[in-house]
Amino acid sequence: MQSSIWRPHINIWIQGARPRTLPAAVAPVIVATVLAGKEWKPLQALLALIVSLALQIAVNYSNDYSDGIRGTDDDRVGPVRLVASGLASAQSVKRAAQISFLIACIAGLVLASLSAWWVILVGIASVLAAWGYTGGHAPYGYRGFGELSVFTFFGVVATVGTFYVQTLEITLAAFAASIPMGALSCALLAINNIRDLPGDQTVGKKTLAVKLGDQKARKFFVGLLITAYIFPIFTGHTLALLTLATAPAAYAIAREVLAGAKGEDLIPLLGRTGQLQLHFGLTFALALSF
């Protein structure tokens, strides 16, 4: 009886964490760990995964909180918004974000102790970027810089950082591997912003999609998908071309986006983009393992 009472409450918080975005946190860690080869370290890899997942969840909760108190989530399609929908208080959502940040920081401190203490500076920058996306007095997500931040922190930093804490090296191959990871993470945000474009225009939230306009934003999304398939070969692994096996799924998503899917029709495409990133990452990792 008691478990049935708690189940709906737990489900609400799971939805608020936006599970469809979590492949953006998992894929870079998997790719970087396999790229590390014989130098991979299980503990460091696990800690990097915890940091990445905790930061992604923290971003989702902090966005829910910040957008909710600003009122920019009041009339929007897509995943449940805890604050805007009244399912949870603003303070409880903020606390969930803070707990997620704390978990990321603790795991990050252990990682730094096992690798290099300057990793702490990268962690601080990551936390500030995560909070500053929609939080604070001048959120950069409201000025069209969200994609740049996602590419940097959920692409380059997540991939190269995971590689570094295991190998204590930064290589061109690791950087090349980070490009498709960043591009696909950006694609998740880009399709999300295309879906929210009408509402964001109304509330004055100037995302990159708003600045580009609907058609250019859709082409930008497709460009991100294409970018993901260009850079794997620059890792120096010929088998990285195996990532092309996921291209039909990318093509199907791109075709629907270019055809003008809007509003609720973009919700399943967001989920499929997340799945694409995970499948791409697993295929990429498999290719790098040989």
Side-chain angles (χ1 to χ4, degrees), residues 60-117:
N60 292 337
Y61 281 139
S62 61
N63 289 350
D64 193 308
Y65 164 76
S66 297
D67 285 339
I69 61 174
R70 283 189 171 89
T72 55
D73 269 352
D74 290 346
D75 184 21
R76 187 173 293 185
V77 297
V80 63
R81 270 75 168 186
L82 300 180
V83 177
S85 64
L87 292 172
S89 69
Q91 287 305 310
S92 63
V93 174
K94 183 180 181 181
R95 194 175 303 115
Q98 291 171 335
I99 291 171
S100 300
F101 280 129
L102 179 61
I103 292 171
C105 289
I106 293 172
L109 283 172
V110 178
L111 262 181
S113 71
L114 295 172
S115 54
W117 288 108

Side-chain angles (χ1 to χ4, degrees), residues 31 35 171-180 230-241 284 287-288:
V31 169
L35 185 62
T171 65
L172 287 176
F175 182 74
S178 75
I179 304 299
I230 293 175
F231 281 88
I233 194 64
F234 292 106
T235 59
H237 292 254
T238 305
L239 286 178
L241 290 173
F284 195 9
L288 294 172

